[in-house]
């Protein structure tokens, strides 16, 4: 029986068509969808902070369990973003790498798409940080405030620029792999699992995601994290954005374009036919 999932080649074609759509999409629509995406992913971040920082003694006795709680909870935001048709900046490097390698679109369309999506996500993240985390006193009480401040301090303030950048490359690879698997799977449960599992790996390892830290760092600054606006832009946003861009564009976008479009390896899943009842190679 077929799993009902798309083959990797078919999923790659869908991702390429998504990239074409984003090149042609109206600026105001791109901005609005990314504001909503930033807002929804930030709610996932809020959920993650409450779940992981709500047991302050656990960090000392079992830090791995705290990270596991973060890994389970945070990707819920990505699943919701994907299901409602919102957007995140981290998907654009994957999509636009494929269209660029196919020589589609103009440079100004690439700059517009990346800049507008990034700004839209930032606005959404700041809305949640300001109104639903700080002014609402959702995270201003202990132990949530201290948990968030400690995480921002450890992962950004005390980490080296190059370390943040390298970790962000890995996150860009995993989050776009999650989007690839979400595209590949058709039914709701399989799609949700495909979106969740790679991002689960990234969140458990605390690999920095651009939109996650738009929310975490801005909310942390409001709660007293030792990070200035200049530090937020230079030490946090710049290395994470660059790393996520490289990870998504190279390890997912360029790889899938090369294997399934340039080399046209559409029949690769057929090697497994007959081994498990005729699976089409889908995840």
């Amino acid at each position: 029986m077929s799993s009902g999932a798309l083959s990797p080649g078919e999923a790659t074609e869908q991702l390429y068509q998504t990239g074409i759509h984003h090149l042609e999409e109206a600026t105001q629509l791109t901005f609005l969808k990314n504001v909503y995406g930033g807002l929804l992913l930030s709610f996932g971040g809020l959920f993650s902070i409450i779940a992981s920082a709500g047991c302050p003694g656990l960090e000392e006795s079992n830090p791995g369990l705290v990270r596991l709680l973060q890994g389970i909870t945070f990707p819920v935001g990505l699943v919701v973003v994907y299901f409602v048709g919102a957007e995140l900046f981290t998907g654009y490097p994957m999509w636009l790498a494929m269209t660029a390698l196919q020589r589609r679109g103009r440079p100004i369309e690439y700059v517009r798409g990346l800049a507008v999506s990034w700004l839209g996500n930032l606005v959404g993240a700041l809305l949640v940080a300001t109104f639903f985390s700080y002014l609402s006193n959702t995270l201003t009480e202990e132990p949530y405030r201290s948990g968030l401040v400690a995480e921002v301090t450890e992962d950004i303030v005390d980490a080296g620029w190059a370390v943040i950048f390298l970790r962000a490359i890995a996150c860009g690879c995993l989050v776009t792999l999650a989007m690839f698997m979400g595209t590949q799977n058709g039914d709701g449960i399989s799609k949700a699992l495909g979106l969740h599992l790679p991002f689960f790996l990234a969140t458990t390892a605390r690999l920095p995601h651009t939109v996650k830290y738009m929310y975490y760092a801005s909310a942390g600054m409001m709660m007293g994290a030792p990070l200035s606006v200049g530090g937020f832009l230079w030490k946090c946003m710049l290395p994470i954005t660059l790393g996520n861009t490289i990870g998504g564009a190279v390890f997912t976008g360029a790889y899938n374009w090369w294997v399934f479009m340039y080399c046209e390896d559409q029949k690769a899943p057929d090697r497994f036919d007959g081994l498990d009842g005729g699976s089409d190679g889908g995840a």
Side-chain angles (χ1 to χ4, degrees):
M1 297 293 291
S2 171
S3 67
L6 299 176
S7 70
E10 291 169 336
T12 298
E13 178 61 30
Q14 282 209 11
L15 290 173
Y16 169 69
Q17 293 300 327
T18 300
I20 295 296
H21 168 75
H22 284 305
L23 287 176
E24 301 171 348
E25 190 174 56
T27 300
Q28 62 270 27
L29 184 58
T30 299
F31 181 73
L32 183 60
K33 289 165 69 175
N34 278 275
V35 169
Y36 203 51
L39 185 118
L40 295 175
L41 192 78
S42 296
F43 279 129
L46 178 61
F47 179 32
S48 178
I49 294 167
I50 291 173
S52 61
C55 306
L58 199 60
E59 180 67 35
E60 290 76 23
S61 63
N62 199 336
L65 185 56
V66 173
R67 291 199 177 198
L68 189 64
L69 284 171
Q70 291 179 319
I72 292 170
T73 53
F74 191 90
V76 171
L78 177 64
V79 174
V80 176
V81 166
Y82 205 95
F83 272 50
V84 303
E87 301 291 358
L88 295 172
F89 166 81
T90 41
Y92 283 74
M94 170 183 64
W95 297 319
L96 299 185
M98 297 171 72
T99 59
L101 289 167
Q102 285 291 99
R103 300 182 180 179
R104 298 293 300 271
R106 297 171 296 161
I108 188 62
E109 293 174 325
Y110 287 82
V111 173
R112 178 191 63 83
L114 291 169
V116 172
S117 65
W118 193 93
L119 290 172
N121 283 168
L122 179 61
V123 170
L126 289 175
L127 285 173
V128 177
T130 304
F131 293 103
F132 307 124
S133 302
Y134 180 66
L135 295 179
S136 65
N137 294 326
T138 306
L139 295 180
T140 54
E141 298 179 356
E142 297 295 350
Y144 310 113
R145 175 189 167 278
S146 295
L148 175 59
V149 169
E151 184 164 341
V152 172
T153 302
E154 180 181 346
D155 290 353
I156 302 299
V157 178
D158 294 342
W161 198 100
V163 170
I164 298 171
F165 171 69
L166 290 173
R167 291 167 64 85
I169 293 176
C171 182
C173 172
L174 287 169
V175 73
T176 50
L177 178 60
M179 293 178 174
F180 178 88
M181 292 174 65
T183 299
Q184 190 176 20
N185 289 279
D187 69 276
I189 294 176
S190 298
K191 189 179 290 288
L193 286 173
L195 288 163
H196 189 282
L197 290 175
F199 205 24
F200 169 81
L201 298 177
T203 308
T204 302
R206 299 240 296 245
L207 302 176
H209 180 273
T210 300
V211 188
K212 172 183 176 179
Y213 271 92
M214 285 177 175
Y215 170 65
Y216 268 42
S218 59
M221 290 163 64
M222 295 176 194
M223 308 297 170
L227 187 66
S228 65
V229 174
F232 171 76
L233 295 174
W234 166 253
K235 188 76 180 295
C236 182
M237 286 293 95
L238 183 59
I240 296 176
T241 299
L242 290 176
N244 285 175
T245 299
I246 293 171
V250 175
F251 291 102
T252 307
Y255 168 80
N256 283 289
W257 173 84
W258 180 271
V259 173
F260 299 111
M261 295 180 70
Y262 183 76
C263 297
E264 298 183 354
D265 189 14
Q266 299 289 352
K267 295 183 179 180
D270 294 345
R271 291 175 295 173
F272 302 99
D273 285 353
L275 295 181
D276 57 358
S279 171
D280 63 357

